[in-house]
Amino acid sequence: MIKKIVLFCIACMYAQLTFAQIDSTLLNNVIADTGKQTLNMDAVYNRPFLGIGKLPVSLGGYAEVNWQHIGTDGVSEGHQFQMRRMTLFVASTISKKIKFLSEIELEEGGKEISVEFASIDVEFHPLLNLRGGIVMNPIGSFNQNHDGPRWEFTDRPISATQMLAATWSNAGFGLFGKTYKNNWMFGYEAYLTGGFNDDIIDNEMNKTFLPAAKVSAERFEEGNALLTTKIATRHSKFGELGLSYMGGNYNTYKNDGIVLDEKRQLHVFAMDYNTTLPKINTTITGEWAWINIDVPSSFTQQYGNKQRGGFLDIVQPIFKRKILGWDKAVVNLSCRLEYVDWNVGTFNETGDNIGDNLWSVMPAISFRPTAQTVFRFNYRYQLQKDVLDNDPSKTGGFSFGISSYF
Amino acid sequence: MPNLTIQYMFKQLKPTYIIVSILISSIVFLVACSELEPAAPADEDILDGPLEGLTNAQSAQFLAGDIAFNDEIFTKDKGLGPVFVATSCGSCHAGDGKGTPFTTLTRFGQVDHTGNKFLHLGGPQLQNRSIPGFNPETIPTGATFSKFTPPANTGLGFIELVPDSAILALSDPNDMNGDGISGVPNWNTVPSYVDILENAISQNGKYICRLGKKASTFNLLQQTVNAYNQDIGITSTFNPIDVYSGHSIDPEVSDKTVRDVVAYLQMLKAPIQRETENVEIENGKNLFIQIKCAACHVPQLQTDFSIISALSYKTFYPYTDLLLHDMGSDLDDGYTEGSAKTYEWRTPPLWGLGLSPGSQGGKYFLMHDGRAKSIEEAIEMHGGEAAQSKNNFQQLSATDKEKLIQFLKSL
């Protein structure tokens, strides 16, 4: 039976059974093997899970704690201690080829609780799976592959959280599938889900801001349909390339059958890439996205109709050996480069460039006693320009954090 | 054998080394980390920031006003519009500095002291933007208009406290001193929610106003209430009329917030002059006085009593007389407010002038509508009462012009 539960765990496709240190008869640690070749779309499956006794349910999760000391133009917030988030995974196999997966996130000390993911997956064929529930829209790579312990930086990429709305999930249905041939792997996903709302061009950020739609839980009940599709391919040597699109109407053009406005659309294109260089083992992960939004011309240019941005992470393991009793501990040197322009274009009045953009560079050193746990220490230097393109405000500071699956 | 022992010792020591070095570097870090953060710009290089010498209670109100002014963004749910020009005070007054053509206001419909004839058609201010589903206003046919670029709003607490008697003393309606410069105050009606100070001087029920390009606004409360109403489409108990429907609606901003914003504006520090020791700049200032710029841009004024002691009976250096002057036909847009003529403009304070590009996207947009792209261009546009002074400027040698401009940039 125990063996069966383990098999049920979706992570088990790549799992190695290891012995939990506490009570190996009760807890079965199913460690995801991060070394195996997978696509970003597998991230929800490829997580360490814990089976408990004979229960047909496996549990998992991760937590992130941080300290930071960061300041902008001489104004420092001082020492800040943050329990950024705690995320719980619950998975079970309902019957053969039918699985349930969920991810519940508690942020800001439990003030914000959200169901990031909760779906029933039915496999008809490796190339044809049906997924229904609250799904993670596969735009770019970070949205699906966002677990803290996978990254060498205390903060999530700004383009992902402040532009693309990570972690962006919606109620909906879709299909996905995957196939292999020699060194090639190919996957696709297509979902129809709930979507964005008027808040993206009417919010307290004073800019076109996709994450503003996350605030309203109404999107799980009613609202606009959003199509998200992604194709990804991986070559064992060259790495993985993903192309994704997300789009649909975003505004309330009709309520109770009464027409209030014309339909307005939003389109997001993203490209993501990751690879590990042979011999030196450098990992390169990047994502770039373009957003086009139909903002009414009578509204203010404060809210942009074009956005773009992305990040590039370079992670270099500098040594891998036994450290303080951990057998395969790794120390990485990394750097993240980020750019976001929330308002691409020029002012109607002057033809001058609209600002509202940000540059950031973040060198980091991280220590992984095991693949599931990371201690990371970052320095961030960031330049952010206001909408009028005035001299940027400068932000800089350090952060230290621990992120671990449990 | 001894070799092995040494190796063994190292093996044993290593974790200790690692731990000790981690501990030491963490401590060094915690102590030093604020040193590695970006430094604050010098006080003299920025316009925003509080007056020195505020009490803690005043500082707390300053902060509340700062947040309301800079961070409170109005959305549809919070009452934005439905027609408006911008979504927050800070959107137009970035860093409390001057604005750009993007944040410029358009006003229309009044040609003389008899008042605005287009109030029923959306006057006096054009709300040229609207929330989705609504149409913004357009300028009605037959209405003349003018564009107003946001001024810096620092040091206004001082300006508000200049006694009427001092403003009248500077005015010279009949040019008795024969310098070609007259200067008159704007006599305007004041809304009933404004408390009139005891020492205010009135004429036929009208009062001396001092704020705005046409000096048509009495004080910071009136300016703030108008800004919420006309610029953002936000009603208050002071002015409950919705710009779109013309009907009174529920207040969309609280009295407290309005009062906090007024207090914030009152307690913003005055711009600080830079390079005061530089002789070139000292020479530039002398030239400024010599060629009669200072006849309108009066270097120094005094405040009256204020309960905010940091503002009470203070001498300050705004380079304005708060009076209206005939600036010639090129600057006559055919639109006016209060008792001002269409060709009359209030002398703008020149303090903070050199910091203008800091909020204007690295450029200069000077004069009431931002038409001048440099200080020199602004001077060249002076006409009317300022024509003589402008001519004097044109007569200056290139190096003297340079000194004068350097002085203006130091303000």
Side-chain angles (χ1 to χ4, degrees):
Chain A
M1 186 60 190
I2 293 174
K3 224 175 171 186
K4 203 173 159 195
I5 297 164
V6 173
L7 281 168
F8 283 168
C9 301
I10 36 301
C12 67
M13 285 154 83
Y14 314 104
Q16 299 171 324
L17 200 69
T18 60
F19 294 99
Q21 291 188 343
I22 307 157
D23 181 354
S24 56
T25 57
L26 264 179
L27 303 174
N28 306 284
N29 234 339
V30 185
I31 306 287
D33 183 353
T34 42
K36 278 265 169 54
Q37 298 234 331
T38 57
L39 295 173
N40 278 304
M41 64 183 280
D42 299 317
V44 285
Y45 287 139
N46 194 17
R47 283 166 164 166
F49 273 97
L50 208 59
I52 308 164
K54 300 195 171 194
L55 282 174
V57 174
S58 23
L59 290 177
Y62 69 89
E64 282 187 292
V65 285
N66 280 345
W67 158 85
Q68 72 176 30
H69 197 294
I70 216 154
T72 300
D73 292 339
V75 181
S76 177
E77 297 292 333
H79 296 286
Q80 291 174 286
F81 300 91
Q82 306 160 323
M83 175 83 194
R84 278 274 170 92
R85 57 183 63 84
M86 188 180 96
T87 299
L88 295 172
F89 314 135
V90 180
S92 71
T93 293
I94 299 163
S95 70
K96 205 177 166 196
K97 296 193 171 184
I98 303 182
K99 294 159 200 148
F100 174 77
L101 270 167
S102 69
E103 178 181 350
I104 293 154
E105 185 165 288
L106 290 91
E107 277 183 311
E108 295 172 43
K111 215 172 78 192
E112 204 183 290
I113 300 176
S114 55
V115 180
E116 304 256 277
F117 189 85
S119 78
I120 297 170
D121 287 6
V122 184
E123 184 185 335
F124 302 111
H125 179 274
L127 261 175
L128 188 69
N129 298 264
L130 175 71
R131 173 174 287 172
I134 292 176
V135 307
M136 203 72 85
N137 299 66
I139 185 75
S141 58
F142 184 85
N143 200 42
Q144 283 184 308
N145 194 2
H146 61 254
D147 290 1
R150 292 181 197 251
W151 300 84
E152 311 308 305
F153 305 89
T154 50
D155 298 314
R156 292 173 165 183
I158 297 169
S159 61
T161 57
Q162 305 290 298
M163 190 180 84
L164 283 181
T167 44
W168 174 238
S169 56
N170 288 285
F173 280 97
L175 299 171
F176 64 94
K178 209 166 90 168
T179 183
Y180 317 71
K181 185 133 204 210
N182 305 331
N183 285 326
W184 290 93
M185 200 187 264
F186 171 82
Y188 78 92
E189 289 171 275
Y191 302 102
L192 209 51
T193 65
F196 292 95
N197 57 37
D198 299 274
D199 293 351
I200 65 173
I201 60 155
D202 183 34
N203 57 60
E204 287 172 28
M205 299 299 288
N206 215 13
K207 60 175 70 159
T208 297
F209 197 63
L210 268 49
K214 284 175 70 182
V215 178
S216 157
E218 268 174 40
R219 72 179 199 275
F220 293 113
E221 301 296 329
E222 53 182 63
N224 292 299
L226 185 69
L227 171 71
T228 315
T229 58
K230 178 166 184 181
I231 50 171
T233 176
R234 171 182 280 285
H235 183 274
S236 52
K237 277 217 191 79
F238 305 123
E240 173 181 354
L241 176 70
L243 296 174
S244 44
Y245 165 80
M246 173 167 83
N249 294 326
Y250 70 84
N251 64 330
T252 317
Y253 53 91
K254 219 177 182 181
N255 201 347
D256 269 353
I258 298 167
V259 175
L260 301 171
D261 196 4
E262 37 189 285
K263 289 186 186 178
R264 297 180 204 288
Q265 297 208 311
L266 134 151
H267 303 284
V268 184
F269 301 92
M271 195 165 98
D272 59 84
Y273 178 72
N274 69 78
T275 190
T276 303
L277 301 182
K279 299 217 174 72
I280 51 170
N281 281 324
T282 315
T283 4
I284 298 170
T285 308
E287 174 178 307
W288 190 262
W290 295 262
I291 302 178
N292 280 296
I293 298 159
D294 177 9
V295 178
S297 59
S298 63
F299 201 47
T300 162
Q301 280 192 293
Q302 186 84 36
Y303 289 86
N305 56 11
K306 276 198 209 101
Q307 301 186 321
R308 62 175 174 231
F311 69 94
L312 181 70
D313 283 4
I314 299 169
V315 179
Q316 178 63 55
I318 48 171
F319 52 82
K320 182 172 190 172
R321 64 158 188 252
K322 185 169 177 164
I323 303 174
L324 301 173
W326 285 291
D327 285 340
K328 278 191 199 162
V330 183
V331 174
N332 292 312
L333 276 183
S334 324
C335 189
R336 170 175 289 167
L337 296 170
E338 300 182 77
Y339 178 72
V340 183
D341 188 341
W342 285 276
N343 200 336
V344 178
T346 55
F347 286 112
N348 295 336
E349 290 82 0
T350 54
D352 290 338
N353 186 46
I354 303 177
D356 214 353
N357 55 32
L358 173 150
W359 272 105
S360 162
V361 47
M362 189 154 58
I365 178 158
S366 58
F367 170 59
R368 288 183 177 274
T370 72
Q372 277 71 41
T373 303
V374 56
F375 295 73
R376 43 205 180 188
F377 183 64
N378 303 169
Y379 175 72
R380 181 192 281 286
Y381 187 75
Q382 174 182 307
L383 298 176
Q384 182 159 15
K385 282 191 160 189
D386 66 5
V387 72
L388 298 171
D389 213 21
N390 289 312
D391 283 347
S393 62
K394 300 186 189 74
T395 298
F398 290 90
S399 53
F400 171 76
I402 307 175
S403 183
S404 182
Y405 284 113
F406 53 76
Chain B
M1 198 62 190
N3 246 344
L4 270 180
T5 332
I6 289 168
Q7 261 184 18
Y8 178 77
M9 261 176 61
F10 263 107
K11 260 196 181 154
Q12 288 301 301
L13 273 174
K14 245 183 192 165
T16 328
Y17 277 150
I18 295 173
I19 291 164
V20 169
S21 53
I22 287 176
L23 286 178
I24 291 176
S25 42
S26 316
I27 291 165
V28 169
F29 222 82
L30 291 177
V31 177
C33 53
S34 45
E35 303 301 314
L36 295 156
E37 288 172 13
D43 247 4
E44 58 182 38
D45 291 331
I46 50 169
L47 290 167
D48 51 356
L51 289 167
E52 257 175 57
L54 294 181
T55 64
N56 288 349
Q58 288 164 348
S59 296
Q61 195 179 20
F62 177 86
L63 189 63
D66 190 352
I67 291 167
F69 186 90
N70 287 302
D71 300 342
E72 179 161 28
I73 308 301
F74 287 89
T75 59
K76 207 168 84 185
D77 286 346
K78 286 168 118 184
L80 174 66
V83 291
F84 66 96
V85 188
T87 50
S88 72
C89 308
S91 304
C92 292
H93 297 288
D96 294 303
K98 283 186 164 63
T100 76
F102 171 62
T103 54
T104 289
L105 296 169
T106 305
R107 304 230 182 104
F108 61 87
Q110 181 172 349
V111 293
D112 56 30
H113 65 281
T114 61
N116 198 303
K117 302 289 184 280
F118 286 85
L119 293 177
H120 63 297
L121 291 173
Q125 191 164 300
L126 181 77
Q127 280 81 37
N128 61 339
R129 297 180 177 121
S130 63
I131 60 172
F134 288 79
N135 286 326
E137 291 179 350
T138 49
I139 299 171
T141 39
T144 50
F145 67 91
S146 185
K147 289 187 181 256
F148 292 180
T149 300
N153 44 25
T154 45
L156 294 179
F158 293 95
I159 292 203
E160 197 182 42
L161 286 167
V162 177
D164 284 1
S165 55
I167 299 178
L168 271 186
L170 290 169
S171 90
D172 182 14
N174 305 312
D175 191 17
M176 302 294 274
N177 66 0
D179 65 352
I181 296 172
S182 39
V184 289
N186 191 335
W187 297 94
N188 204 357
T189 43
V190 174
S192 57
Y193 60 78
V194 168
D195 291 327
I196 309 280
L197 294 173
E198 267 170 33
N199 60 0
I201 298 171
S202 78
Q203 213 178 60
N204 309 322
K206 300 194 172 185
Y207 289 90
I208 294 177
C209 292
R210 65 185 73 195
L211 296 175
K213 312 276 178 182
K214 291 283 187 187
S216 61
T217 305
F218 187 76
N219 67 3
L220 290 169
L221 175 65
Q222 188 190 356
Q223 182 74 42
T224 300
V225 168
N226 272 348
Y228 272 118
N229 193 280
Q230 296 285 312
D231 303 356
I232 319 182
I234 294 297
T235 56
S236 56
T237 57
F238 304 104
N239 185 353
I241 305 297
D242 171 41
V243 279
Y244 182 72
S245 64
H247 298 142
S248 69
I249 59 169
D250 291 341
E252 292 161 332
V253 62
S254 71
D255 286 15
K256 177 183 182 298
T257 301
V258 172
R259 300 278 182 202
D260 286 347
V261 168
V262 170
Y264 164 74
L265 292 166
Q266 285 169 335
M267 292 187 276
L268 274 170
K269 71 170 198 243
I272 302 165
Q273 195 184 349
R274 296 158 304 287
E275 291 192 78
T276 41
E277 309 291 285
N278 186 333
V279 255
E280 302 262 299
I281 283 174
E282 194 55 44
N283 290 341
K285 181 173 180 178
N286 293 334
L287 287 166
F288 183 81
I289 294 164
Q290 215 176 309
I291 65 171
K292 291 271 186 285
C293 307
C296 299
H297 296 285
V298 175
Q300 171 179 334
L301 295 172
Q302 276 87 30
T303 62
D304 216 335
F305 169 78
S306 167
I307 45 164
I308 299 165
S309 60
L311 288 172
S312 202
Y313 301 119
K314 292 282 189 287
T315 298
F316 62 104
Y317 306 89
Y319 296 89
T320 175
D321 56 3
L322 300 172
L323 293 171
L324 298 165
H325 296 275
D326 172 356
M327 291 299 285
S329 55
D330 284 349
L331 290 170
D332 183 350
D333 293 340
Y335 167 79
T336 197
E337 293 167 0
S339 64
K341 307 283 189 300
T342 52
Y343 46 80
E344 282 177 336
W345 297 96
R346 184 198 68 168
T347 312
L350 296 180
W351 60 6
L353 184 68
L355 300 180
S356 306
S359 60
Q360 298 188 306
K363 302 185 170 183
Y364 279 102
F365 294 99
L366 301 177
M367 307 303 270
H368 64 274
D369 54 4
R371 66 178 75 177
K373 302 297 180 303
S374 67
I375 293 177
E376 186 151 1
E377 251 185 74
I379 301 169
E380 296 287 346
M381 285 174 187
H382 282 58
E385 294 171 35
Q388 185 55 50
S389 186
K390 190 242 330 251
N391 292 342
N392 296 342
F393 172 78
Q394 287 167 332
Q395 304 304 312
L396 293 178
S397 68
T399 47
D400 280 352
K401 277 186 183 170
E402 185 47 42
K403 282 179 198 162
L404 177 66
I405 289 177
Q406 243 190 290
F407 158 68
L408 291 170
K409 284 190 175 166
S410 78
L411 291 178

